Amino acid sequence: MAVRPIRVFGDPVLKSVSAPIGVVDDGVRALVRDLLDTVEVPGRAGVAAPQIGVGLRAFSYNVDGVIGYVLNPVLVEVSGEPEAIGEGCLSVPGLWHDAVRYPYAKVVGTDLDGAEVVLEGEGLMAQALQHETDHLDGMLYLQRLTPEERRVAMREIRESDWF
């Protein structure tokens, strides 16, 4: 359908917990098409519905050439030793900081037909699953930074040309 504009830091939809998707209707199908179109832009690993202004529990991903989506995802498992890893966010353009993430993650949700979707992986996939489910819980990766790193990031945001 369309590549939707990304909401940026300061937009209230990014701080709100997303509502579960109940009935899959034409609106939800259109949301999924827009999420898929929006994540296909080069350099994007994931887009959560709140990032395009929709407060529903859905996200798309684009990792290692695999593009997909999940509705009502739940982060059901993380494992390994949490580590600080370089991370950015479309909703905080131009910033790159070390966020603490687990090296493995598993998400369970559904597709448009109600079938179970299980997404899991290590590396970038694990990072994307944690990052996108955080968005659905009203959290930006900035909250995963050390206090000092977060102070630096907030200064960068205040000095940015988009804020």
Side-chain angles (χ1 to χ4, degrees):
M1 294 260 307
V3 174
R4 303 266 296 268
I6 301 293
R7 302 292 181 97
V8 296
F9 179 88
D11 190 313
V13 72
L14 297 173
K15 298 286 281 180
S16 302
V17 175
S18 297
I21 294 172
V23 175
V24 174
D25 58 13
D26 287 343
V28 172
R29 284 188 279 279
L31 169 63
V32 168
R33 284 192 300 274
D34 288 353
L35 283 168
L36 291 170
D37 288 348
T38 304
V39 83
E40 283 186 295
V41 174
R44 294 182 175 178
V47 175
Q51 291 183 280
I52 60 172
V54 179
L56 292 175
R57 295 191 75 79
F59 69 77
S60 57
Y61 59 91
N62 183 352
V63 177
D64 298 328
V66 178
I67 297 171
Y69 72 93
V70 61
L71 307 179
N72 295 322
V74 176
L75 186 64
V76 295
E77 184 181 348
V78 291
S79 66
E81 191 65 36
E83 58 189 40
I85 185 166
E87 191 164 320
C89 179
L90 299 171
S91 294
V92 192
L95 274 68
W96 190 263
H97 291 277
D98 287 343
V100 176
R101 298 288 183 192
Y102 289 90
Y104 170 85
K106 180 178 180 179
V107 164
V108 176
T110 61
D111 66 13
L112 288 168
D113 298 319
E116 183 179 70
V117 171
V118 177
L119 301 171
E120 63 184 321
E122 297 177 333
L124 182 57
M125 181 57 120
Q127 189 176 8
L129 295 175
Q130 293 168 82
H131 183 105
E132 301 310 326
T133 54
D134 275 355
H135 272 301
L136 302 179
D137 293 331
M139 182 185 298
L140 292 172
Y141 90 106
L142 302 171
Q143 293 166 267
R144 300 276 183 196
L145 305 179
T146 65
E148 177 56 33
E149 192 86 5
R150 188 161 189 217
R151 279 191 289 279
V152 170
M154 296 307 292
R155 185 173 54 252
E156 291 172 346
I157 289 169
R158 287 189 301 275
E159 294 171 354
S160 71
D161 58 359
W162 55 264
F163 183 67

